Amino acid sequence: MRVGVLALQGAFREHQKALAACGVETEQIRKPEQLAKISALVIPGGESTTMGKLLMEFNLLEPIKELGKQGMPVFGTCAGMILLAKGIAGSTQPRLGLMDITVERNAFGRQVDSFEAELDVPVLGEEPFRAVFIRAPYILSVEKSVEALTSFGGKIIFARQGRFLAAAFHPELTGDLRVHRYFLENCIS
């Protein structure tokens, strides 16, 4: 199995390192033809408006959307979560719209308001997960097909819908591989 990591912006190298530590081969994705080489895709954090424009400029938006509709697993973190959402509060920016969620951008504040928190995430086991939030979004609403995996401050920040996984935080910036393993074991297999 080879997992693609969208490499237009954001912490794509850190996602590659985490996936490699899980024993998975990766491919940096910048062109539509590279999508044929992968069986799943990770969309890192970054700036979602810019990433949406780059997805269109590099002719990746529609091919990724189509592959997602056909069943390719996709994991989005922070801006990646925003791009996965069908709804983005107050925005008409380009998106994949693969998950039945509506998100709020920069919901926890600006860059200077970045923080870390210990999260209880039952699907990851009893040990808390140390999460890094950087200009993080949260999920305002989910449809019945979406499973909320954890919340912070009463806001959903980690969710799954079949083969799609979305996190408001940055698991690639920690040494804890449980979120990446969860994606590999539960969304791909």
Side-chain angles (χ1 to χ4, degrees), residues 46-90:
E47 207 292 307
S48 65
T49 306
T50 300
M51 289 175 75
K53 289 177 183 175
L54 290 172
L55 281 168
M56 291 180 61
E57 187 176 318
F58 286 83
N59 297 312
L60 284 163
L61 187 76
E62 290 304 321
I64 292 171
K65 186 185 296 189
E66 189 55 37
L67 287 170
K69 287 179 181 177
Q70 293 172 11
M72 181 179 73
V74 183
F75 173 30
T77 61
C78 198
M81 178 174 97
I82 295 167
L83 292 169
L84 278 174
K86 283 196 178 158
I88 304 169

Side-chain angles (χ1 to χ4, degrees), residues 100-157:
D100 295 322
I101 60 176
T102 298
V103 299
E104 177 77 40
R105 297 173 68 232
N106 302 325
F108 291 101
R110 302 174 59 80
Q111 189 85 15
V112 296
D113 300 312
S114 300
F115 64 97
E116 294 184 24
E118 297 284 331
L119 303 177
D120 290 321
V121 188
V123 297
L124 300 181
E126 290 184 22
E127 182 183 338
F129 186 89
R130 185 101 180 136
V132 178
F133 292 84
I134 303 170
R135 292 180 58 212
Y138 65 72
I139 299 173
L140 288 168
S141 64
V142 299
E143 298 295 323
K144 291 180 183 178
S145 57
V146 179
E147 178 185 6
L149 300 175
T150 200
S151 298
F152 179 78
K155 309 296 183 190
I156 301 168
I157 54 163

